[in-house]
Amino acid sequence: MRVLVVEDDPKMAALIRRGLGEEGLVVDVTERGEDALWMAGSTDYDAVVLDVLLPGIDGFETCRRLRSEGSWAPILLLTARDAVEDRIAGLDGGADDYLTKPFSFGELTARLRALARRGAGERPAVLEVGDLRLDPATRRVWRGDAEVFLSQREFALLEAFMRRPGQALSRLQLLDHAWDYAYENRSNVVDVYVRYLRDKVDRPFGVESIETLRGHGYRLREDGGR
């Protein structure tokens, strides 16, 4: 494994480099988030260990920029801050895991191995399909620059579509992703809510993004209806 460590404390950075090196990992170290951006863009890392408190842009912003620039190596946030709000901010910003100081190297390397097994597949914090954008953390949706206000169920259904653009989804699949088993009226509820969605995310903008597949279900066009 090749790991990028972003840590501004020289002693801590040296300890992490030595500890991971003893476990057989190849380690590059930088103390600034700005440097991490170009390093991650030019090198295929298996994982990134990212401290939150950094000079210049902090770890949260570094994480967000890495994701926005298309760097999908798994990110482990490393920090002394253990507030729930910090963990939420980091994970919603695109991080994959969170470890607080002090920590054991055994746990750090085990978490890195687990992250590396996930690979570097695209996992955006904000979903984008064409000019449709959906933020699961804030539960907000936009068509271009215009915000679209959806009910909880409409949001869940659109999220199911946007996580699988271009895929044919049956009514049963959509039910499983947007309704729980306790919901009783499962006959034509998907068709009803697809109509609601079209009335909010398509028709006001003169587009058709959700296609009907007769005899099967629906599909969100990969271009978002543009």
Side-chain angles (χ1 to χ4, degrees), residues 206-223:
V207 299
E208 295 182 1
S209 65
I210 302 174
E211 299 177 326
T212 300
L213 305 176
R214 297 195 180 280
H216 184 78
Y218 298 94
R219 174 173 57 209
L220 178 66
R221 289 174 48 181
E222 290 186 272
D223 64 1

Side-chain angles (χ1 to χ4, degrees), residues 184-195:
E184 296 180 356
N185 183 19
R186 298 167 67 91
S187 57
N188 68 336
V189 67
V190 170
D191 302 313
V192 171
Y193 273 86
V194 165
R195 186 170 70 248

